[in-house]
Amino acid sequence: MNHSIQSKLMQLNEILSQNNIDHYYIYDYTSRPKLVLAGSFDFSYYHNIEITFYEVSFLYCPGGVFSIECFRLANDKELEMLKTVSYGFLEGPVICMEDQTFGTRFFIAAESLDYELKTVYYYKRENLQPHESLAEWVEKDREGRNNNS
C-alpha cells in the first residue's frame, strides 16, 4: 500500500514542480472522511489541481492558505511526534506536506489519495473547455439556488 502511495507522491511532486504549484488550502471537507486540497500558484481567479485524500483519520494543517514544496510519506521521527497529538487517530499512511524553504510540515493520515489537474474558476465564465469548471459557490446565487436552473 505505501509503495503505491509513494509512487503517486513522486508523480504528484513532479507535476506540481512543472506547473509551479505551491499554495494550497482545504477546498472541501464536507464529505468526511474525504478531504480535497486545492492547489495553485495564485488563488485570485482559479485553482489548478485538486488533491483528494480518502479515509482521512487525522489532519494537522492550517485552515487557510499554506505553502508546500513537496508531498512525501512521514518518517519515523515525525510519526513519533504525531503520536503525542493524534490520540491514536493515525490510521493509514501519513503524508507529510513540507515547505523545505521555511521548514514547516503538515500532515494528513489517509488510506489513499488521488489528484486531478484541472482549472476551477472562481468567477462566472462561459464556454468551459475540457478539464475546466466553475467553483461550486460560483454556480449558486445568494439564495442558494443553482444559477443554471
Side-chain angles (χ1 to χ4, degrees):
M1 173 70 110
N2 284 2
H3 179 67
S4 67
I5 287 180
Q6 179 67 29
S7 174
K8 197 168 274 194
L9 291 173
M10 289 172 54
Q11 293 169 355
L12 175 62
N13 285 328
E14 183 66 28
I15 289 168
L16 298 173
S17 176
Q18 289 172 356
N19 290 281
N20 203 25
I21 299 170
D22 61 354
H23 290 83
Y24 301 89
Y25 73 94
I26 297 172
Y27 182 64
D28 184 12
Y29 197 29
T30 58
S31 53
R32 289 181 179 103
K34 181 177 91 171
L35 178 139
V36 180
L37 289 183
S40 185
F41 173 73
D42 178 7
F43 287 116
S44 297
Y45 300 105
Y46 56 83
H47 64 258
N48 311 90
I49 194 167
E50 291 181 359
I51 305 168
T52 305
F53 298 86
Y54 299 96
E55 301 303 319
V56 173
S57 64
F58 180 76
L59 175 64
Y60 182 87
C61 75
V65 175
F66 53 96
S67 294
I68 295 299
E69 292 174 342
C70 79
F71 289 76
R72 61 174 174 78
L73 290 174
N75 62 38
D76 290 340
K77 185 177 178 182
E78 292 163 337
L79 292 172
E80 267 312 301
M81 181 274 300
L82 288 172
K83 284 181 185 176
T84 64
V85 295
S86 69
Y87 302 103
F89 290 104
L90 287 177
E91 297 175 16
V94 178
I95 293 103
C96 176
M97 303 174 291
E98 184 174 22
D99 182 340
Q100 297 162 329
T101 302
F102 294 104
T104 54
R105 293 173 303 209
F106 308 111
F107 301 91
I108 297 177
E111 287 297 326
S112 62
L113 70 112
D114 211 348
Y115 57 87
E116 182 179 6
L117 273 173
K118 63 190 218 175
T119 302
V120 178
Y121 294 99
Y122 298 164
Y123 60 92
K124 191 78 170 154
R125 183 180 170 107
E126 303 296 327
N127 303 318
L128 294 172
Q129 302 301 309
H131 303 287
E132 293 182 343
S133 64
L134 301 178
E136 182 180 310
W137 63 84
V138 175
E139 295 287 329
K140 297 185 184 225
D141 66 14
R142 289 184 207 183
E143 289 80 36
R145 294 182 302 228
N146 192 328
N147 283 332
N148 295 330
S149 31

